[in-house]
Amino acid sequence: MPGATLEVHYKLFGTDGVSLQSQELSKELRRRGWQVHPCAADVPDGSDGLRIAELSYQSADAVELRRRIFPPAADVNTASPTTASALIDEITARAGAIRAAIEQYIDAHHIALLHIRNIMSLPYNLPATLAFYDLAVARSDLGFLMQHHDLYWEGPNARLFTTPYAEITALLDTIMCPQLPNARHTLINPIAGDALRERKGIVGTVIPDGFDFDREVVSIDGPAFRARLEIVAGEGAPVGPDDVVVAMPARVAINKSIELAIQLVAALDERRDALQSAPDGVGRERRRFTASSRVVLLLPQGEDLEDNRAYFDRLVAYAKHMGITLAYGGAIVVPDRRYQPGDDVHYPFYSTYQAMDFICYPPEHEGFGNQAIEAVWARLPLAVFEYPVFQHYVRDHIPHYISLGNTEQLGRTGEFGGLHQLREDVLA
C-alpha cells in the first residue's frame, strides 16, 4: 500500500543523472498515491521536504574536509595517527548533527522508508554517509533502500578516494554499501551488481534507469536559444540556424571523455563537402549547410562545473587547438523542475533537445547513460562510445546508433594532460 518515503541525495533538483532519475521515480510514486518527501542540500525555499545544507558535497566545508580525508599525493606525507583520530572525531560530530535533523523530520512525518541515492556508495561527504549508517543501525523500525548509481572503487573517480589513513579505510569498509538487516540495495546495471556481490557479499537488485517518453516539455524558440549560447572556443559569432549542433548533453566530468566529441566534430568539419552536398539538408530540421555554416559542439549543462573546472579548461584549450567551435549553455539552461513559466532568460533542460541536430555521448565509464535514452526520445541520431555498461547492457535496447568504438580501441593524446584519443580508423 502507498506510504511515505524520504527521497535522499546530496542534491535532488539538478540536471545530473541521479537528480533526474529521482525526479522520474518521485513523479511516478506520487501518481500512485505515495507521499514523497525530498531530502537534500538543494530543496528550494517554499517546497515540501527537508533541506539540510550539511548534505552538500560542494560546500566549502565539505570540499575542505574531503581534501583532508583524501589528500592529494603531494600532501600524503603529512598524514599521521593524530590527524586520523581528529578526522574521525570531526566526521562523527558532523554526522550527529545530520542524523538528528533527519530523525526529527521522519518521526514528525511518520516516514518508515528512506530511499538513499549514492550517499552510501560515493564518499563525497562522509559525515552524511555515517549519519545514515548510524540511523539504520539504531532504528530497526525503519526501512532503507540504498540505491547505488556509482561505486567508489570503480571508474576514473576511484582515484579521488585514496586515503593514507587506515582508520578512514576501515570506516569506509564499514559504512559504505553496508550489509544491514533493514537495508536493501539496488543498482542500475548488472556489472555494478556483480561488483557489489564480489566486494561486499551483497546480492542487490538491478533496476535500470527509466524515462517518461510521454513527458510534456515547454516549446522553445530554437534559433533564439542557439543565439544566446556562450562561445567559449572558436569563432565568436552566435550559433546560427544553418549551423549543425552536435550536443553532448551530460554534465562536464572527467569520466564523460568529452574530448572524443571534440574529435568527432573536428572530423565532421573536415567533411564539409559532404554536408554541403546533402540533397535534402542535414539533420531532423533539414538545415542547409553552406560554406559559412559551422559544426558546433554544444555543452548545454553547467551542473557541477566548478567541481570539474580544470577539466573544462583543458577541453576549451583542446577545442581551440582542434579548430572547432565550442558552445556552452550552463548559464541559461536550468533543471525542468526549477524553470518558471514565462522566464525569458532561461531554458528548461529537456526542451533544449529541440535545438540540437545530433547527440554525441562518449563516456569512458558510466553507470547507465541517460543520454542514450534521451536521444531516442528526442528522435535524434546518436554517436556513442561503447563504455562497458552500454556494450554489455544498454545497446541492445537502442534501435540505432553510430559506434565510436570501445575501451579496447581507445588511446591517449600526448598533450592536454593525456586526453583520450579515438583511433583514426574508428573515427573515419
Side-chain angles (χ1 to χ4, degrees):
M1 293 182 63
T5 182
L6 193 70
E7 178 78 357
V8 186
H9 183 41
Y10 298 119
K11 58 182 180 179
L12 289 171
F13 290 78
T15 54
D16 60 287
V18 178
S19 293
L20 294 176
Q21 283 302 300
S22 170
Q23 293 161 25
E24 295 284 348
L25 180 63
S26 295
K27 179 172 62 177
E28 181 61 22
L29 287 177
R30 290 188 178 108
R31 190 182 71 82
R32 298 184 181 206
W34 281 72
Q35 297 177 34
V36 182
H37 300 254
C39 174
D42 65 342
V43 176
D45 290 334
S47 298
D48 293 334
L50 176 61
R51 180 171 65 187
I52 302 179
E54 291 80 5
L55 286 179
S56 173
Y57 67 90
Q58 297 171 304
S59 68
D61 284 347
V63 171
E64 190 273 335
L65 177 60
R66 193 161 63 246
R67 181 183 175 87
R68 287 186 283 129
I69 295 171
F70 306 109
D75 297 342
V76 166
N77 291 334
T78 64
S80 70
T82 303
T83 303
S85 178
L87 279 172
I88 295 293
D89 289 345
E90 184 175 352
I91 292 167
T92 302
R94 293 191 185 195
I98 295 172
R99 175 186 165 182
I102 293 167
E103 200 160 13
Q104 180 180 14
Y105 186 89
I106 61 177
D107 288 341
H109 291 83
H110 309 290
I111 293 169
L113 174 65
L114 286 77
H115 182 188
I116 307 171
R117 295 178 181 266
N118 258 6
I119 291 178
M120 309 309 294
S121 56
L122 275 186
Y124 279 126
N125 184 337
L126 267 184
T129 307
L130 180 59
F132 286 105
Y133 174 82
D134 286 343
L135 183 63
V137 170
R139 294 288 300 268
S140 60
D141 59 312
L142 299 174
F144 292 80
L145 182 61
M146 299 179 179
Q147 183 158 4
H148 313 310
H149 298 255
D150 305 279
L151 297 169
Y152 74 93
W153 62 83
E154 289 192 320
N157 286 330
R159 68 177 74 103
L160 301 175
F161 306 121
T162 300
T163 180
Y165 306 110
E167 295 89 340
I168 296 294
T169 299
L171 181 66
L172 291 173
D173 289 342
T174 300
I175 69 176
M176 303 302 295
C177 302
Q179 190 161 25
L180 299 170
N182 55 339
R184 298 293 181 270
H185 299 260
T186 66
L187 307 105
I188 61 176
N189 70 75
I191 295 176
D194 292 343
L196 182 64
R197 184 174 62 253
E198 291 169 6
R199 184 167 180 128
K200 288 281 192 172
I202 294 173
V203 178
T205 301
V206 174
I207 302 176
D209 281 354
F211 191 82
D212 178 9
F213 279 78
D214 296 322
R215 71 186 333 109
E216 295 183 3
V217 297
V218 175
S219 293
I220 63 171
D221 183 334
F225 169 73
R226 285 170 163 236
R228 295 194 58 214
L229 294 168
E230 179 185 359
I231 305 299
V232 294
E235 299 177 27
V239 179
D242 293 330
D243 293 330
V244 170
V245 171
V246 178
M248 205 302 291
R251 63 194 178 92
V252 175
I254 190 70
N255 66 296
K256 306 297 182 184
S257 303
I258 300 169
E259 59 269 23
L260 303 185
I262 292 175
Q263 293 160 27
L264 175 65
V265 168
L268 282 172
D269 193 61
E270 291 175 356
R271 292 156 174 81
R272 299 178 59 85
D273 289 346
L275 295 174
Q276 286 180 239
S277 62
D280 298 320
V282 177
R284 180 179 58 190
E285 301 301 322
R286 301 301 183 190
R287 301 186 193 280
R288 286 294 175 185
F289 197 84
T290 68
S292 61
S293 298
R294 296 169 295 177
V295 183
V296 177
L297 178 60
L298 168 61
L299 305 180
Q301 281 210 39
E303 196 75 40
D304 298 344
L305 183 65
E306 290 310 312
D307 296 320
N308 296 280
R309 173 63 67 174
Y311 178 55
F312 179 75
D313 291 343
R314 285 162 60 200
L315 291 173
V316 171
Y318 186 52
K320 292 177 179 177
H321 171 75
M322 296 293 285
I324 76 159
T325 301
L326 181 62
Y328 172 67
I332 59 174
V333 176
V334 298
D336 287 50
R337 288 179 74 178
R338 288 185 178 273
Y339 176 75
Q340 297 295 322
D343 183 349
D344 58 1
V345 176
H346 299 98
Y347 297 85
F349 171 69
Y350 283 123
S351 296
T352 64
Y353 276 90
Q354 299 166 29
M356 302 170 185
D357 298 304
F358 192 87
I359 304 299
C360 181
Y361 189 51
E364 169 200 7
H365 179 87
E366 186 63 88
F368 189 79
N370 295 332
Q371 285 69 29
I373 308 175
E374 291 165 9
V376 175
W377 162 75
R379 299 177 184 270
L380 290 171
L382 168 70
V384 61
F385 181 75
E386 296 193 42
Y387 53 94
V389 170
F390 183 89
Q391 192 172 24
H392 297 289
Y393 187 49
V394 177
R395 70 179 178 184
D396 290 343
H397 303 283
I398 303 297
H400 42 73
Y401 65 92
I402 300 160
S403 176
L404 297 178
N406 55 50
T407 53
E408 295 178 0
Q409 301 168 319
L410 200 58
R412 291 275 187 179
T413 63
E415 50 193 340
F416 301 101
L419 296 174
H420 292 300
Q421 180 76 52
L422 287 172
R423 242 172 42 191
E424 190 59 38
D425 61 319
V426 174
L427 183 57

